Amino acid sequence: MADFGRALALNPSSPEAYSARGTAHMNLGLDAQRRGVAPDAHYEAALVDHRKALELNPRLPEGHQGLGQAHLNWGNARMARGEDAGATFEAGLADLERALAINPRAA
């Protein structure tokens, strides 16, 4: 994560760097979930970074795809705890549909 911080310090307007860091946060969340540790903070950080990437470039397919994956993974974690994750899954699907609308090859 430190490398992403350095990259963003050098170029704070890079949507690709925010999206990549968001994906790294999401992967940390998945790892935490596998180890039985609450992944929520990682998924929240992933959403923040992917949203920042999309603020900088609303047509970045990776940003929408990463946002969707983070929503879906967080929804899975919430559902595993017995929580209602319907809205989280719906947000994830909408994000993935936006990614496909921008780049149909993203599937």
Side-chain angles (χ1 to χ4, degrees), residues 3-15 17-18 21 49 56:
D3 289 339
F4 290 115
R6 285 190 286 279
L8 287 166
L10 293 172
N11 187 1
S13 61
S14 171
Y18 280 103
R21 187 172 71 177
D49 278 342
L56 295 168

Side-chain angles (χ1 to χ4, degrees), residues 9-99:
L10 293 172
N11 187 1
S13 61
S14 171
E16 295 82 6
Y18 280 103
S19 186
R21 187 172 71 177
T23 298
H25 279 298
M26 186 188 63
N27 288 332
L28 289 171
L30 286 169
D31 182 60
Q33 202 170 333
R34 283 186 204 105
R35 292 182 290 113
V37 177
D40 300 73
H42 294 296
Y43 291 138
E44 287 177 23
L47 295 175
V48 167
D49 278 342
H50 285 298
R51 286 182 182 128
K52 179 63 176 180
L54 293 170
E55 177 185 311
L56 295 168
N57 181 0
R59 299 213 28 93
L60 182 70
E62 298 87 352
H64 291 287
Q65 184 176 4
L67 196 61
Q69 289 174 331
H71 272 119
L72 294 177
N73 289 331
W74 198 2
N76 284 332
R78 294 180 65 203
M79 194 170 68
R81 294 190 302 247
E83 298 174 16
D84 179 14
T88 307
F89 285 127
E90 288 176 18
L93 291 174
D95 296 325
L96 293 174
E97 287 173 359
R98 280 189 284 279

